[in-house]
Amino acid sequence: MSEPTMRQNPLYENRFDDPAVAALVVAVLSFVLGGLTAYAQTVLPYSMFSLANSANGWTALMVVLLLWVRPGVRLAAVLGSVSGVLLMLGYTAALALYGHAYDPLLWTLSGAVAGPFIGVAAAWLRERGGRAALGTAALTGVTIGESLYGLTAVSQSTSPVYWTVSGLAGLLFLLGMLARRIRGRAPLVLTLAGTAAVVVVFIPVFGTVGTYA
């Protein structure tokens, strides 16, 4: 029996037929998860505290959420921005409940700008070949890039445990995608070169944005 086509394969079918419903679900869950991030900062041990205060943590939440919703590429770009913004607003609202004031403007704008790229990358993880390679490179590059940033730029104020675990998780994700969905020399080279390029770009950009936070 032949493999199912993209239209027949449940992996590629949107979980919600109505884009408005998908957007509402992503918005609500992102807001709630953002609030839980603030709560996590009160209970996580020092070794893993950065999980609730890192781009990696929120990127992972966005990717898992979008993989569950399974939107098409165009809708994923929009929902990535929606998720990035609502995560920050949920986080800010939860901090307010704890009596802490926080200005979310910079990171809300960052989420709105980076969200479409994360959304498209998440959608491309369900593809094969070049698109899967680019999606993997984008997400792995961000994960490894922030891990290296954490182990160097903020090593004096944070535990290396989380950054090490995060970096290893990124490498395992990369290896898993290479084993399951990225086959052939050209996609392999594209994945590795793309990951390295994202790491090189991410570290100084993230560091610059972080100085204004």
Side-chain angles (χ1 to χ4, degrees):
M1 181 180 296
S2 61
E3 294 186 2
T5 65
M6 183 176 294
R7 289 181 178 273
Q8 297 170 329
N9 193 332
L11 180 65
Y12 297 98
E13 295 177 359
N14 296 347
R15 185 172 295 276
F16 303 99
D17 294 331
D18 189 341
V21 174
L24 179 61
V25 170
V26 169
V28 171
L29 291 179
S30 295
F31 187 85
V32 172
L33 290 171
L36 290 175
T37 301
Y39 171 73
Q41 290 181 325
T42 68
V43 298
L44 286 174
Y46 175 72
S47 61
M48 295 299 292
F49 179 82
S50 297
L51 172 64
N53 191 34
S54 69
N56 281 344
W58 279 10
T59 298
L61 291 176
M62 294 168 68
V63 170
V64 170
L65 183 56
L66 291 173
L67 286 176
W68 178 71
V69 173
R70 296 196 301 265
V73 175
R74 292 182 180 179
L75 182 56
V78 175
L79 296 186
S81 188
V82 169
S83 182
V85 169
L86 268 296
L87 278 167
M88 176 51 65
L89 295 182
Y91 173 77
T92 304
L95 284 183
L97 293 178
Y98 287 114
H100 300 296
Y102 182 78
D103 183 0
L105 179 59
L106 177 62
W107 291 114
T108 299
L109 291 175
S110 298
V113 172
F117 296 97
I118 296 173
V120 170
W124 280 354
L125 293 181
R126 297 180 287 142
E127 303 281 352
R128 295 186 184 275
R131 286 189 171 186
L134 290 173
T136 300
L139 298 176
T140 304
V142 168
T143 302
I144 295 176
E146 193 188 24
S147 296
L148 294 175
Y149 178 85
L151 288 170
T152 54
V154 293
S155 60
Q156 299 301 315
S157 58
T158 60
S159 169
V161 174
Y162 168 73
W163 303 118
T164 302
V165 171
S166 177
L168 290 175
L171 289 175
L172 288 174
F173 169 73
L174 173 61
L175 293 175
M177 287 297 293
L178 290 175
R180 294 178 60 85
R181 307 199 68 80
I182 301 173
R183 304 292 176 83
R185 180 176 298 178
L188 171 63
V189 172
L190 181 59
T191 302
L192 297 179
T195 297
V198 173
V199 170
V200 169
V201 172
F202 177 86
I203 293 176
V205 171
F206 186 76
T208 301
V209 174
T211 60
Y212 295 97

